[in-house]
Amino acid sequence: MKMNKVTRALITVGGAAGLVFTMQGSAWAAQTATIPGAGYGQWQADPDGSIPGDSIRACDNVTDGYGIQVQLDIGRDGDIDRLATTEGHDAPYCSAWKSGNIAEGTPITIWVYKVRGGEIYGQFAYLNGTA
């Protein structure tokens, strides 16, 4: 069956628009770094509903006496610029989102640790990305 040029153009434009809209949703989803059997940390680059952009949060899944701490290093200079923790809360628990504007394209590293009494323990996970 032959298609005319207008029909082919409409199919191409429709398909491209569909890809743009479905990819947008996944680009806005929070990125997660997981410590197996403990919890996870999340990074949200762009605002999404009630979740602010340039934000982190910590989530503890296991009642084991440990908490989860998330540290954000803006600019990858070794300084911790933002912190979220579940310490002091019973699992399961997620901290509030900790946010603040970061210039677009700024490199960031997110560190996720198990903690107890303010001390960092051996298990960790991390994410590298940009704001």
Side-chain angles (χ1 to χ4, degrees):
M1 171 181 192
K2 285 188 170 184
M3 287 191 266
N4 65 32
K5 288 181 182 181
V6 173
T7 303
R8 279 188 291 204
L10 287 173
I11 290 170
T12 302
V13 168
L19 281 174
V20 167
F21 291 121
T22 58
M23 293 301 287
Q24 256 185 341
S26 63
W28 289 345
Q31 293 180 342
T32 302
T34 301
I35 299 174
Y40 58 94
Q42 290 185 300
W43 160 253
Q44 181 70 35
D46 297 314
D48 186 12
S50 64
I51 304 171
D54 298 336
S55 60
I56 58 171
R57 77 172 177 169
C59 294
D60 188 356
N61 296 336
V62 181
T63 304
D64 59 1
Y66 292 92
I68 299 296
Q69 180 172 288
V70 178
Q71 299 175 348
L72 171 64
D73 178 357
I74 300 169
R76 295 188 193 145
D77 59 4
D79 292 332
I80 301 307
D81 301 292
R82 195 170 299 156
L83 184 101
T85 186
T86 66
E87 278 200 293
H89 298 274
D90 293 330
Y93 174 79
C94 287
S95 71
W97 289 95
K98 305 292 183 176
S99 66
N101 192 41
I102 303 171
E104 292 297 315
T106 301
I108 55 117
T109 297
I110 309 293
W111 293 96
V112 182
Y113 297 101
K114 282 180 72 170
V115 292
R116 180 167 49 195
E119 296 290 321
I120 293 174
Y121 285 81
Q123 286 185 288
F124 71 92
Y126 73 96
L127 296 168
N128 280 320
T130 58

